[in-house]
Amino acid sequence: MVKKFKSVNEKVKGFLHGGDYNPDQWLDYPEVLNEDVRLLKLAHCNCVSINIFGWSAIEPHEGEYTFEWLDKVMDDMASAGVHVILSTPSGARPAWMSEKYPEVLRVWSDRNRILHGQRHNHCFTSPIYREKTSKINKILAERYKNHPALIMWHVSNEYGGECHCELCQEAFRNWLKVKYDNDLEKLNKAWWTGFWSHKFTSWSQIESPAHHGEEFVHGHNLDWKRFATYQTIDFYKNEIAPLKEITPNILVTTNFMGDYPRECVFNGLDYWKFAKEVDVVSWDNYPAWHNNFEKLYDTAANTGFVHDVYRTLKGGQPFLIMESTPSLVNWHKVNRGKRPGMHLLSSLQGVAHGADSVQYFQWRKGRGASEKFHGSVVDHCGHENTRVFKEVTEVGEVLEKLSEIIGTSVEPEVAVIYDWENRWAIDDCQALKNENKGYFEAIEDYYKVFWRKGIPVDVINMDCDFSKYKLVVAPMLYMIRPGVAERLTQFVKIGGTLVTTYFSGLVDENDLCFLGGFPGPLREVTGIWAEEIDTLYDTDINYLEFKEGNELGVNGTYKLRDYCDVIHAETAEVLATYKNDYYDGMPALTVNNYGNGKAYYVAARTNNDFDTAFFSNIINNLKIKSVINTELPLGVTAQMRTDGENDYIFIMNFNEEGKSVILDEQKYFDMLVNKEVSGNLELKKYDVKVLKRKTKN
Ligand code: GLA
Ligand code: ZN
């Protein structure tokens, strides 16, 4: 049976293609606005996000509204058959508001209040800001609730950052009181405040972390970050309340962010918590394509990872690419444009990982201010005869050919754990290589092995259900929240395979170390005791050497770097040992056969040669499937979406030269050129093929 997720709105029949549109900056240029309608159609765009920073254009003075321009844009879009994702304007405030109500302005951790300016810098606690956003959202919802162009709400823009004002301090204390049952002693214990005489005797002594104040109590830092997530979501809930009330059938999203320079997820908010409150996950995708610090295919793998996070956040439901650039951005260190062909490839990469849209920032370049040189579909020349416009049009045409793919899913057998709180705690602790402990790199290295083999991966956090996976990979699982070790142990007991590493099982949810031997509550399932951890200088040399005849079936010696856990096998079997130093001959890799499953402990940080050899064997032993049964050249990946009857295989070449792939025996239909294909598939530089085949049941 064909199985599909519903589209974001019943009016939406294919992929959304379009992007952030700022007619509010062009109100003096009616001819430009008319031209936009023509150009949107020409570029095969069917969706715009408007009003993102429109507040001063709809409420130029307090309580005075000027919606006429927005009415006209909405109507023009409806007549042109272009959908509108309508934004609430809280991403930027009008000047009159900051002037009259300074409490809406954020306070930095140094306790200085900002001046009016820029954007994304409001106090999320301020009752006035909450009242103002709620009011304007209510008016918007009332005005456009039945508008035929409206398909979805885009709430604010890229929520992030923290405010340290007095209102936020009080809210933090109240949040702590709830968390610690009004019992200050509980908090003192959780934060280990006996350290440096930091014990609190009254709630009012507690402040948010600051350079010139407290920043060395890790439980405190963690709780502040948790509070920042909580308070941001609380503000967001206040924003959506009128939308949910007035337009209960219009779905709500807010655009999540990536990270730069190496593509990762935004670190500031725990998106697992946020995702529960949005109807659809969307994110802004700006990798540094063609950079000089990593291979193109590594940029692609990291980007694939982020797409996978955003798909997994809502249980595999398709997500939206809310923004991406058709060419270049203006805020990277070097703003290199996408080379010809990369736009289609990078757009379809998102689709391959589960996106149901390709949206841009921005539709048209503004004339002034800081984003005037940021890539856009329409350049300052104002017409369609540009390379970028043509490449965007091509994406639009291709998406139309692929419209049956929307709503389909990705079904991984492998999960990698990437956990925000774990990252916060690792980054914050003073240990290992202090400048960069490399949590993300550890995950990225392992993820790449699967990406290169065309094996889909879910990126989960430690609270997710493990039972649907054959393999769960949990590098540097430093923090173990309550119940997690029990669930991982159970997962292995009933036949799952777990891979964890050095620096796992050290602290609980408050960053308090487990007593009685590491990896703490993972000790039973891993069958090892980690006695100490050695950090290596880049010049230090050690190796992991496989034991002959080990059950994994890998041989040889592999170079190590960064970290070596000095461990003892308890119930685990030793597969490989160290070759140097005082732990020469001690276990470097173990497996614990536990119940019906296995738990591997990789005690040291390895390199790609080991990672590939190690995981290839696990993949074979567990019969984990690549989406296509063939050897993929380096830099070529394959991803798959499926509706249960048809599989859609995306084969993508992230190389600067052509490559070929030999198709397996199944029947493939190339959806972009409309013909059957078999045998040798030639891929040009940056080529992407979308092949359809019958699902094997
Ligand atoms: C973010 C914002 C946009 C724009 C782009 C530029 O994603 O949401 O408003 O500033 O960056 O890349
Ligand atoms: Zn504040």
Side-chain angles (χ1 to χ4, degrees), residues 20 53 119-120 157-158 255 284 286 323 329-331 361 371 374:
D20 284 19
F53 299 111
R119 59 174 181 176
H120 304 162
N157 195 64
E158 296 195 332
N255 44 344
D284 300 343
Y286 294 109
E323 296 177 23
V329 300
N330 66 333
W331 50 270
F361 179 88
E371 292 188 319
H374 190 292

Short mmCIF file of all heavy atoms in Angstrom, two decimals, residues 20 53 119-120 157-158 255 284 286 323 329-331 361 371 374, ligand 1:
data_model
loop_
_atom_site.label_atom_id
_atom_site.label_comp_id
_atom_site.label_asym_id
_atom_site.label_seq_id
_atom_site.Cartn_x
_atom_site.Cartn_y
_atom_site.Cartn_z
N ASP A 20 11.94 33.60 0.49
CA ASP A 20 11.70 34.85 1.23
C ASP A 20 11.56 36.00 0.23
O ASP A 20 12.43 36.24 -0.60
CB ASP A 20 12.89 35.17 2.14
CG ASP A 20 12.92 34.30 3.38
OD1 ASP A 20 12.27 33.24 3.38
OD2 ASP A 20 13.61 34.68 4.35
N PHE A 53 10.10 40.39 7.98
CA PHE A 53 10.54 41.58 8.74
C PHE A 53 9.64 42.77 8.40
O PHE A 53 10.10 43.89 8.22
CB PHE A 53 12.01 41.89 8.42
CG PHE A 53 12.93 40.75 8.80
CD1 PHE A 53 13.58 40.00 7.82
CD2 PHE A 53 13.12 40.41 10.13
CE1 PHE A 53 14.40 38.94 8.18
CE2 PHE A 53 13.94 39.35 10.50
CZ PHE A 53 14.59 38.61 9.52
N ARG A 119 18.37 42.78 14.53
CA ARG A 119 17.16 41.95 14.60
C ARG A 119 17.42 40.77 15.53
O ARG A 119 18.54 40.60 15.99
CB ARG A 119 16.80 41.43 13.20
CG ARG A 119 17.96 40.60 12.63
CD ARG A 119 17.62 39.93 11.32
NE ARG A 119 18.77 39.15 10.87
CZ ARG A 119 18.79 38.39 9.80
NH1 ARG A 119 17.72 38.30 9.03
NH2 ARG A 119 19.86 37.70 9.48
N HIS A 120 16.44 39.94 15.73
CA HIS A 120 16.59 38.72 16.55
C HIS A 120 17.21 39.05 17.90
O HIS A 120 18.06 38.31 18.39
CB HIS A 120 17.50 37.68 15.85
CG HIS A 120 17.05 37.29 14.48
ND1 HIS A 120 17.89 36.67 13.57
CD2 HIS A 120 15.86 37.42 13.84
CE1 HIS A 120 17.24 36.44 12.44
NE2 HIS A 120 16.00 36.89 12.58
N ASN A 157 11.47 34.55 13.07
CA ASN A 157 12.56 34.14 12.19
C ASN A 157 13.75 33.71 13.04
O ASN A 157 14.17 34.43 13.95
CB ASN A 157 12.99 35.31 11.29
CG ASN A 157 13.85 34.83 10.13
OD1 ASN A 157 13.39 34.07 9.28
ND2 ASN A 157 15.10 35.26 10.10
N GLU A 158 14.25 32.54 12.78
CA GLU A 158 15.49 32.05 13.41
C GLU A 158 15.62 32.47 14.87
O GLU A 158 16.56 33.18 15.24
CB GLU A 158 16.69 32.53 12.60
CG GLU A 158 16.71 31.94 11.20
CD GLU A 158 18.05 32.10 10.50
OE1 GLU A 158 18.78 33.05 10.79
OE2 GLU A 158 18.35 31.25 9.63
N ASN A 255 11.66 28.70 11.37
CA ASN A 255 12.85 28.20 10.68
C ASN A 255 14.02 27.98 11.63
O ASN A 255 14.50 28.90 12.27
CB ASN A 255 13.25 29.10 9.50
CG ASN A 255 13.20 30.59 9.82
OD1 ASN A 255 12.61 31.02 10.81
ND2 ASN A 255 13.84 31.38 8.99
N ASP A 284 17.14 26.49 7.59
CA ASP A 284 17.83 27.37 6.65
C ASP A 284 19.20 26.78 6.35
O ASP A 284 20.06 26.70 7.22
CB ASP A 284 17.95 28.77 7.26
CG ASP A 284 16.58 29.37 7.55
OD1 ASP A 284 15.58 28.85 7.00
OD2 ASP A 284 16.49 30.33 8.34
N TYR A 286 22.66 26.66 4.57
CA TYR A 286 23.69 27.48 3.92
C TYR A 286 25.10 26.89 4.02
O TYR A 286 25.99 27.53 4.60
CB TYR A 286 23.71 28.88 4.55
CG TYR A 286 22.46 29.68 4.30
CD1 TYR A 286 21.55 29.94 5.32
CD2 TYR A 286 22.19 30.18 3.03
CE1 TYR A 286 20.41 30.69 5.09
CE2 TYR A 286 21.04 30.93 2.79
CZ TYR A 286 20.16 31.18 3.82
OH TYR A 286 19.03 31.91 3.61
N GLU A 323 15.03 28.15 3.74
CA GLU A 323 15.92 29.07 3.04
C GLU A 323 17.13 28.29 2.55
O GLU A 323 17.57 27.34 3.20
CB GLU A 323 16.46 30.16 3.98
CG GLU A 323 15.43 31.10 4.55
CD GLU A 323 16.05 32.09 5.53
OE1 GLU A 323 17.27 32.35 5.44
OE2 GLU A 323 15.32 32.58 6.40
N VAL A 329 26.16 33.47 -0.28
CA VAL A 329 25.66 34.26 0.84
C VAL A 329 26.57 35.47 1.00
O VAL A 329 27.51 35.66 0.22
CB VAL A 329 25.60 33.44 2.16
CG1 VAL A 329 24.69 32.24 2.00
CG2 VAL A 329 26.98 33.01 2.61
N ASN A 330 26.32 36.28 2.01
CA ASN A 330 27.16 37.46 2.21
C ASN A 330 27.82 37.43 3.58
O ASN A 330 28.42 38.40 4.00
CB ASN A 330 26.31 38.73 2.08
CG ASN A 330 25.30 38.82 3.20
OD1 ASN A 330 24.88 37.81 3.75
ND2 ASN A 330 24.92 40.03 3.57
N TRP A 331 27.70 36.30 4.29
CA TRP A 331 28.19 36.29 5.67
C TRP A 331 29.20 35.16 5.95
O TRP A 331 29.64 35.01 7.08
CB TRP A 331 27.02 36.20 6.66
CG TRP A 331 26.04 35.10 6.36
CD1 TRP A 331 24.94 35.20 5.56
CD2 TRP A 331 26.09 33.74 6.81
NE1 TRP A 331 24.29 33.99 5.49
CE2 TRP A 331 24.97 33.08 6.25
CE3 TRP A 331 26.96 33.03 7.63
CZ2 TRP A 331 24.71 31.71 6.48
CZ3 TRP A 331 26.69 31.67 7.86
CH2 TRP A 331 25.58 31.04 7.29
N PHE A 361 16.52 32.20 0.41
CA PHE A 361 16.69 33.58 0.78
C PHE A 361 17.62 34.10 -0.30
O PHE A 361 18.74 33.66 -0.39
CB PHE A 361 17.32 33.77 2.16
CG PHE A 361 17.49 35.22 2.46
CD1 PHE A 361 16.47 35.94 3.06
CD2 PHE A 361 18.65 35.90 2.08
CE1 PHE A 361 16.61 37.30 3.28
CE2 PHE A 361 18.77 37.26 2.30
CZ PHE A 361 17.76 37.96 2.90
N GLU A 371 22.27 43.13 3.28
CA GLU A 371 22.08 41.91 2.50
C GLU A 371 21.97 42.17 1.00
O GLU A 371 21.54 41.30 0.24
CB GLU A 371 20.89 41.12 3.05
CG GLU A 371 21.23 40.58 4.43
CD GLU A 371 20.21 39.62 5.02
OE1 GLU A 371 19.01 39.89 4.87
OE2 GLU A 371 20.63 38.64 5.64
N HIS A 374 23.75 39.60 -0.99
CA HIS A 374 23.44 38.18 -0.75
C HIS A 374 22.76 37.62 -1.99
O HIS A 374 21.92 38.28 -2.60
CB HIS A 374 22.51 38.09 0.47
CG HIS A 374 22.29 36.69 0.96
ND1 HIS A 374 21.60 35.75 0.24
CD2 HIS A 374 22.69 36.08 2.11
CE1 HIS A 374 21.57 34.61 0.93
NE2 HIS A 374 22.22 34.78 2.06
C1 GLA B 1 19.12 33.82 7.69
C2 GLA B 1 17.90 34.70 7.83
C3 GLA B 1 17.58 35.47 6.58
C4 GLA B 1 18.82 35.97 5.91
C5 GLA B 1 19.73 34.80 5.62
C6 GLA B 1 20.98 35.19 4.87
O1 GLA B 1 18.86 32.54 7.37
O2 GLA B 1 16.78 34.00 8.25
O3 GLA B 1 16.74 36.53 6.94
O4 GLA B 1 19.45 36.90 6.71
O5 GLA B 1 20.13 34.26 6.84
O6 GLA B 1 21.74 34.06 4.57
#
